[in-house]
Amino acid sequence: MTSRHEPEPATGWAPTWALGRAVLLTGLLLIAGVLFGRVDLVVLATPFALGTGYALRRRPTAGPQLDISAGDAHLVEGGPMAATVAVGNPDTVSYDVAVVRTRMSPWLRVEWVGFGGVGVAVARAGGADRPFVTSVPVGTAVDLELSGTALRWGRHPIGPAGARVATADGLLVSRAVITDPVRMRVYPRTEPFEAVEAMPRAAGLVGAHHSRRPGEGGELAGVRVFAPGDRLRRIDWRVSLRARQLHVASTLSDRDAEVVVLLDVLAEAGRSGGVNGPASVLDTTVRAAAAIGEHYLHRGDRVAMLEYGPAARRLRPATGRRQYLTVLEWLLDVHAESSPHEPYDQVFGPQVLSADALVVVLTPLLDERSAQMLARLTRGGRFVVAVDTLPADLPAPKDRGWAEVAYRLWRLDRDTMIGQLREHGVPVVRWAGAGSLDQVLRDVARLATAPRVGAR
């Protein structure tokens, strides 16, 4: 990831105040010497004239080059970040002074800045905003090295960067050269997550989940009489000798499943403090989605992503490491977006989701439409698990008056909504890292295998 600005033509140079003062002083001394017949004034003006002419003997013909490049393309929040701002001199005249300044995202904490390995420590975020000065010889480039820590997931800009150089002993200065910013991709840090319970329903042909259908798997289903087409290695000789008839061991097939992670982005709450600080709703949602996707993709399942919001972004289900990298890239663009309109039923309705898919909904339950969406999916026969992403330590408002009472009433109303969802068969659990979904997946799997009421 680089951004470069090409050199400007010769018209990109302007005189400095030093050149103006030198010309003015020389002219005044010469005029005064002529008017008053003072030879000493002419002699005094001579060094200024000669020095200015000597400094301007070689005028620059090209402006500086400026380039921004980011370091690691697979940076995880909390990890070290590195970037470089390079100032190049394509001219035949040395740059006496180059002043470089670049903006940084507040989520990229720069701790060290230096030119060519010699630098200073910066204790605050965005410390590269301060100007840095160096000299640039002919035909070379000097690198401004930035290093620090990436505090939060997302696409964070480095830049725009600007540079101005002075030459001819400070008598000429270039116009500001500004380069476009580059975006540093910082992937969410995957929280520990492990779900040991079986999927409610596995529908693929091969995979790691034990299904209820017979097939070539590792789970023993029983012993039955040998039939045409059975493999000889499946013969159970002990039972066959005892029954005096060939019997084979019957197994259950191992199949994969489809997991749909639905992200509720209608509202944001809480304040993000970065990777080591408090987590907002979006922080918890994105990190939990990355953990769930990583877990099931490593088990060979198909994982799809879907946003519940006005944009309705969707990632098609797939498997493998390529899908995992695609999921991380897709999560970088997640942002909260409120809308007064109801999200489209043809996008979020149960008819667009596979009947065998496990739908994990990451929602803060701050909007009534989110609860209605969960109820519709459940009534449509989908296996739905709601994960509460609202921060547990969400502070109450400190304003005087009725703010605290209104906050308590809102909490009671939200708890009532969660209770009603559970009564309608929607399990709601709070995200807590490893083992967050074990109990609820156990209940969902039990409901999936239970006989239906009224079934014959």
Side-chain angles (χ1 to χ4, degrees):
M1 295 182 294
T2 60
S3 178
R4 174 170 295 180
H5 190 282
E6 296 298 331
E8 297 286 343
T11 56
W13 294 88
T16 63
W17 288 104
L19 177 59
R21 288 192 298 268
V23 173
L24 179 62
L25 181 59
T26 302
L28 291 177
L29 291 176
L30 290 176
I31 293 174
V34 172
L35 292 178
F36 297 104
R38 298 281 300 274
V39 180
D40 56 339
L41 294 179
V42 176
V43 174
L44 186 62
T46 302
F48 292 98
L50 294 178
T52 303
Y54 181 80
L56 296 176
R57 72 190 188 283
R58 296 179 61 189
R59 293 177 58 86
T61 58
Q65 291 179 339
L66 193 61
D67 177 78
I68 301 179
S69 60
D72 191 358
H74 300 284
L75 182 62
V76 181
E77 56 180 349
M81 56 79 59
T84 302
V85 181
V87 184
N89 181 1
D91 210 329
T92 57
V93 180
S94 298
Y95 295 156
D96 300 326
V97 175
V99 181
V100 184
R101 187 169 186 173
T102 179
R103 292 183 178 179
M104 298 288 291
S105 168
W107 296 113
L108 298 176
R109 184 177 61 193
V110 178
E111 300 170 347
W112 191 89
V113 183
F115 280 103
V118 179
V120 296
V122 180
R124 63 183 181 89
D129 288 349
R130 56 184 293 186
F132 290 86
V133 180
T134 185
S135 60
V136 186
V138 178
T140 61
V142 178
D143 295 338
L144 170 64
E145 300 174 357
L146 311 174
S147 62
T149 306
L151 300 179
R152 189 173 184 260
W153 58 272
R155 302 182 189 272
H156 303 302
I158 301 178
R164 298 190 71 178
V165 300
T167 186
D169 294 336
L171 299 182
L172 296 177
V173 63
S174 69
R175 289 188 171 90
V177 176
I178 301 176
T179 184
D180 296 330
V182 298
R183 298 280 178 174
M184 176 171 284
R185 295 176 295 179
V186 181
Y187 297 114
R189 185 173 67 176
T190 304
E191 296 185 0
F193 172 70
E194 184 73 23
V196 299
E197 291 300 320
M199 294 292 292
R201 185 177 297 168
L205 298 178
V206 294
H209 301 287
H210 301 311
S211 71
R212 293 175 293 172
R213 299 181 181 181
E216 295 295 329
E219 184 73 11
L220 183 64
V223 180
R224 58 176 177 81
V225 179
F226 180 87
D230 290 336
R231 297 187 178 184
L232 296 180
R233 62 185 181 89
R234 294 288 185 180
I235 297 177
D236 191 327
W237 293 106
R238 292 186 179 180
V239 178
S240 300
L241 292 175
R242 188 165 53 249
R244 297 184 179 277
Q245 187 178 6
L246 286 179
H247 283 70
V248 294
S250 177
T251 57
L252 298 176
S253 61
D254 295 334
R255 297 176 178 248
D256 65 347
E258 180 177 338
V259 180
V260 178
V261 183
L262 182 56
L263 286 69
D264 182 1
V265 295
L266 289 179
E268 166 72 314
R271 179 174 297 179
S272 176
V275 64
N276 295 320
S280 66
V281 167
L282 278 187
D283 288 342
T284 304
T285 299
V286 170
R287 292 165 186 166
I292 294 173
E294 180 185 23
H295 171 76
Y296 285 110
L297 285 173
H298 285 177
R299 298 189 64 176
D301 295 322
R302 301 183 304 277
V303 174
M305 294 281 168
L306 180 62
E307 273 189 3
Y308 184 69
R313 294 194 310 129
R314 186 186 185 97
L315 180 63
R316 297 171 56 183
T319 61
R321 176 171 175 79
R322 182 177 181 180
Q323 178 70 357
Y324 175 60
L325 297 177
T326 305
V327 166
L328 293 179
E329 193 75 20
W330 187 87
L331 289 174
L332 295 183
D333 297 321
V334 173
H335 64 278
E337 186 177 0
S338 60
S339 173
H341 306 290
E342 181 72 21
Y344 304 103
D345 290 338
Q346 60 268 28
V347 177
F348 305 102
Q351 68 276 6
V352 299
L353 300 177
S354 173
D356 299 315
L358 170 65
V359 183
V360 181
V361 183
L362 302 171
T363 172
L365 291 174
L366 295 176
D367 198 307
E368 187 177 352
R369 292 172 295 180
S370 302
Q372 295 174 356
M373 177 266 295
L374 290 170
R376 286 196 301 269
L377 291 177
T378 303
R379 287 196 299 266
R382 301 301 180 267
F383 303 107
V384 181
V385 176
V387 179
D388 186 4
T389 58
L390 189 70
D393 55 350
L394 188 66
K398 299 180 180 180
D399 298 337
R400 296 181 179 180
W402 297 95
E404 185 176 355
V405 177
Y407 176 78
R408 293 180 181 177
L409 291 176
W410 170 78
R411 276 287 189 181
L412 290 175
D413 182 67
R414 185 174 181 274
D415 294 340
T416 302
M417 181 193 303
I418 294 176
Q420 292 175 348
L421 287 174
R422 288 171 176 168
E423 291 178 358
H424 285 80
V426 182
V428 181
V429 295
R430 181 174 295 279
W431 177 256
S436 296
L437 305 183
D438 273 349
Q439 181 61 40
V440 67
L441 286 179
R442 187 183 300 114
D443 297 337
V444 173
R446 186 182 301 112
L447 291 175
T449 57
R452 297 182 180 180
V453 177
R456 296 182 179 179

